Amino acid sequence: MAFRKWSLWDLTSTPFVGLGNFQTLIADPMFGKVMLNSVIWVVCSLVPQLLIGFLIALGLRKKFRFRGLYQAVVFYPWAVSGFLIGILFRWMFNSEFGVVNDLLMRIGIVSKPVPWLANPDLALVAVIVANIWYGVTFFSIMILAALQSVPDELYEAAALDGAGRWQTLTRVTIPTIRSTLVLTVLLRIIWIFNFPDIIYAMTGGGPGDQTQIATTWMIQYTQQGEYGLASALGFIIMGVLVVFTGMYLMLLNRERTS
Amino acid sequence: MISKDPRWLSAIRIVGLGFWLIITIFPLYWILLTSFKPANQIAEYPVRYWPRQFTLDNYTSLFQKSEFGSYLLNSIVVSAAAGLVATAIALLSAYILSRYQFRGKGAVMMAFLVTQMIPAFIALGPLYQMFTNLGLVDKRFGLVLIYIAMTIPFSAIMLRGFFDNVPDSLEEAAMVDGATRFGALWRVIVPVMTPGIIATFIFNFVNCWNELFLAVTLINTDDRKTIPTALNGFISSFNIEWGPMSAAAVLTILPTMLLFAFASRWIVAGLTQGATKG
């Protein structure tokens, strides 16, 4: 399909067009913007997710009363689909009756309601905030599991050597769980890159394509019935995926043999 | 960590965890609250954090004005059917992957892992064509089939991890006593693994329950839609009615939350093993 002119509006002729679909895509000024948005979407979501997730995992490492209950409650976003999270945040970021504006005004950060999802400069911020909120859970679960597998002897040894808290964290804990960190980050890059749901529900790629990423753009083409272009874009997305998946699998193998 | 934390560190931890708890729960609280507010209080500013009166109007109008009863039933039937079949097939594949050595086993595991990295919507166009040729478009049965294919690989990886934790000697003892291999699997191992199997089923059920893009593409008739497909119709309209919308969101989120809470320990174990050990 990627190599044919294939549109639902004209199924009588689906000639072979070779790389024509790819040329059409890459010549489109949207292409560069969409790729840039995809990178921003991945990086700006991933870094805060990782940091907050790590902090929460550290906070949960020690036993305390109600820890099990706390985990059960805090990890609930996992059970909810990205699409529904998008709907929830779309309502909270609503410019007329949204609770986000109300809170910001009560604190005094803004003086009048901000049209988050209608403003081309702010919409990308809003969808990334929602995505950060949604992804922290994954990192806290994964990192907590890794932290709990660090042997106590290492900490005892560090304490004997007179290492402080900070040194223990940077010289013992982080190096020990490094492989888990790298693997989860790689998995997450792949996952976020492939994750159109929140954007789809909050802005549909708008306003004016400002929040369009590769996958939302592809879905838009699919829903417009432009299967040839959508498949070509799918090919390009797959190319990106293959690179990162290859890296992930190589690391996974190295982990298993070591 | 053997040493006791100083007081300031404990304080930071409690404040930090508390703060995150509030941030996490707030969206859920907000959608619940909205769903019980009468229409005139949903559209008022400044916002109220506790309604003057609670009402069930949003829920009744959701069921009266839309086919929400059908959507709910479709979602339950499709997710349960796909989840059951996928779990059963994955159970057998996981058993083979766990107990037998065969050529190409590494490749199979690899294929299972890699297919997880590729989202289903990449192939929406070709899939739609294929389903048209097979006459499966706009049929719930077609959706079940595609969901089974979608959920098998990861279920197999998860279940394999659970099998690996069950020692071989269990079924060997049963086979010495004259049980067939399948009999040993069915009567000896499955009972031991029941929590893991239930967790896998729940994981599959929730994934199908939440799936959006395939369902939107393949289903057109209103009374065959699953919930996400219907919600997609709600948010595509120019004027979103946030009252019934929030009621629908609550009814979609709650079942999955309860199921996950029930099985979360097992799911977490299966996932962390699956993602970092392969």
Side-chain angles (χ1 to χ4, degrees):
Chain A
M1 262 194 200
F3 301 97
R4 289 179 173 275
K5 176 178 170 298
W6 197 304
S7 166
L8 268 187
W9 311 117
D10 181 16
L11 286 173
T12 48
S13 71
T14 53
F16 182 79
V17 290
L19 294 174
N21 287 328
F22 292 88
Q23 279 162 353
T24 311
L25 281 178
I26 293 169
D28 191 330
M30 270 283 287
F31 186 81
K33 186 162 138 187
V34 163
M35 290 301 152
L36 179 67
N37 277 351
S38 299
V39 173
I40 295 173
W41 166 249
V42 170
V43 174
C44 295
S45 303
L46 185 98
V47 175
Q49 280 178 11
L50 176 65
L51 290 176
I52 301 172
F54 192 84
L55 287 174
I56 290 170
L58 280 179
L60 290 173
R61 184 168 47 171
K62 272 219 176 105
K63 262 210 173 339
F64 55 87
R65 216 184 337 167
F66 304 129
R67 183 174 73 168
L69 183 67
Y70 183 93
Q71 284 185 11
V73 172
V74 161
F75 293 167
Y76 86 86
W78 248 33
V80 184
S81 70
F83 175 60
L84 270 151
I85 297 295
I87 291 176
L88 259 57
F89 275 82
R90 183 173 179 162
W91 171 228
M92 294 199 306
F93 276 109
N94 183 295
S95 39
E96 281 175 289
F97 314 113
V99 68
V100 172
N101 279 335
D102 191 74
L103 283 169
L104 290 176
M105 280 167 69
R106 277 171 205 254
I107 301 169
I109 295 177
V110 296
S111 55
K112 59 180 199 300
V114 179
W116 287 98
L117 300 176
N119 180 327
D121 301 324
L122 294 175
L124 195 58
V125 177
V127 293
I128 286 175
V129 166
N131 197 23
I132 292 169
W133 178 92
Y134 188 46
V136 166
T137 305
F138 168 84
F139 276 114
S140 23
I141 291 177
M142 288 291 181
I143 295 171
L144 184 60
L147 286 176
Q148 285 169 337
S149 66
V150 178
D152 274 342
E153 294 82 43
L154 287 180
Y155 291 126
E156 284 161 19
L160 281 178
D161 292 339
R165 239 161 250 293
W166 180 249
Q167 279 185 309
T168 311
L169 179 69
T170 53
R171 304 247 174 106
V172 179
T173 311
I174 293 177
T176 315
I177 63 167
R178 205 199 51 182
S179 70
T180 304
L181 289 178
V182 174
L183 282 173
T184 44
V185 164
L186 271 175
L187 260 184
R188 221 49 193 174
I189 289 174
I190 297 166
W191 199 88
I192 297 174
F193 181 75
N194 272 328
F195 182 57
D197 309 49
I198 280 183
I199 296 180
Y200 179 86
M202 279 175 83
T203 64
D209 289 322
Q210 283 294 334
T211 54
Q212 205 76 276
I213 58 170
T215 43
T216 54
W217 201 31
M218 182 184 162
I219 285 162
Q220 197 173 60
Y221 271 136
T222 307
Q223 294 187 336
Q224 289 165 352
E226 297 293 346
Y227 287 171
L229 288 170
S231 300
L233 193 52
F235 248 90
I236 296 172
I237 293 172
M238 290 268 282
V240 176
L241 286 185
V242 164
V243 172
F244 280 101
T245 309
M247 276 161 65
Y248 170 76
L249 293 173
M250 263 166 49
L251 278 162
L252 197 63
N253 268 331
R254 205 187 317 157
E255 281 314 309
R256 263 188 260 166
T257 47
S258 65
Chain B
M1 302 300 273
I2 318 294
S3 56
K4 265 197 75 65
D5 283 343
R7 190 167 293 197
W8 62 269
L9 200 66
S10 300
I12 286 182
R13 199 170 71 194
I14 291 166
V15 170
L17 288 178
F19 187 62
W20 184 250
L21 184 68
I22 292 167
I23 290 183
T24 308
I25 291 189
F26 189 79
L28 191 67
Y29 167 76
W30 197 244
I31 204 81
L32 260 172
L33 189 75
T34 309
S35 76
F36 291 121
K37 275 182 180 177
N40 60 355
Q41 282 182 45
I42 289 176
E44 72 176 348
Y45 209 81
V47 171
R48 274 176 192 281
Y49 292 82
W50 191 253
R52 280 193 303 258
Q53 72 221 69
F54 283 90
T55 169
L56 288 174
D57 287 356
N58 295 321
Y59 290 88
T60 48
S61 83
L62 174 70
F63 278 91
Q64 277 163 3
K65 288 182 186 165
S66 78
E67 294 275 341
F68 202 79
S70 314
Y71 309 146
L72 201 63
L73 192 67
N74 290 336
S75 269
I76 292 171
V77 170
V78 168
S79 309
L84 272 174
V85 175
T87 309
I89 297 175
L91 187 73
L92 297 175
S93 355
Y95 182 76
I96 291 168
L97 285 169
S98 168
R99 295 291 190 260
Y100 290 89
Q101 287 302 332
F102 55 90
R103 201 196 305 200
K105 178 172 162 178
V108 172
M109 286 302 288
M110 197 66 93
F112 277 3
L113 261 180
V114 172
T115 46
Q116 290 313 296
M117 312 274 176
I118 301 164
F121 58 77
I122 289 273
L124 272 182
L127 260 174
Y128 186 79
Q129 289 295 327
M130 202 169 78
F131 269 56
T132 309
N133 297 338
L134 292 168
L136 289 170
V137 170
D138 208 20
K139 292 208 170 54
R140 278 159 291 195
F141 177 67
L143 211 50
V144 171
L145 282 183
I146 195 86
Y147 284 174
I148 291 170
M150 177 181 87
T151 48
I152 281 178
F154 202 77
S155 323
I157 293 176
M158 224 162 127
L159 285 167
R160 187 206 165 179
F162 294 125
F163 269 122
D164 284 345
N165 295 338
V166 178
D168 294 0
S169 50
L170 264 185
E171 70 241 55
E172 278 161 13
M175 279 152 70
V176 169
D177 292 344
T180 59
R181 184 167 269 283
F182 191 76
L185 171 70
W186 186 245
R187 288 205 201 89
V188 181
I189 307 184
V190 167
V192 176
M193 277 178 50
T194 302
I197 295 171
I198 291 174
T200 308
F201 168 74
I202 287 178
F203 189 75
N204 290 340
F205 182 93
V206 170
N207 270 334
C208 299
W209 177 271
N210 286 338
E211 203 285 328
L212 167 72
F213 295 115
L214 289 167
V216 165
T217 310
L218 296 171
I219 305 284
N220 310 316
T221 311
D222 192 40
D223 65 359
R224 293 180 190 167
K225 285 179 178 170
T226 55
I227 297 174
T229 326
L231 295 188
N232 183 54
F234 292 177
I235 64 163
S236 311
S237 63
F238 271 109
N239 210 345
I240 303 176
E241 285 191 48
W242 281 107
M245 182 79 216
S246 57
V250 168
L251 291 176
T252 316
I253 291 170
L254 282 185
T256 52
M257 268 182 64
L258 294 175
L259 285 172
F260 251 56
F262 169 71
S264 66
R265 220 178 74 229
W266 296 95
I267 292 175
V268 168
L271 285 175
T272 42
Q273 278 182 346
T276 49
K277 291 205 186 74

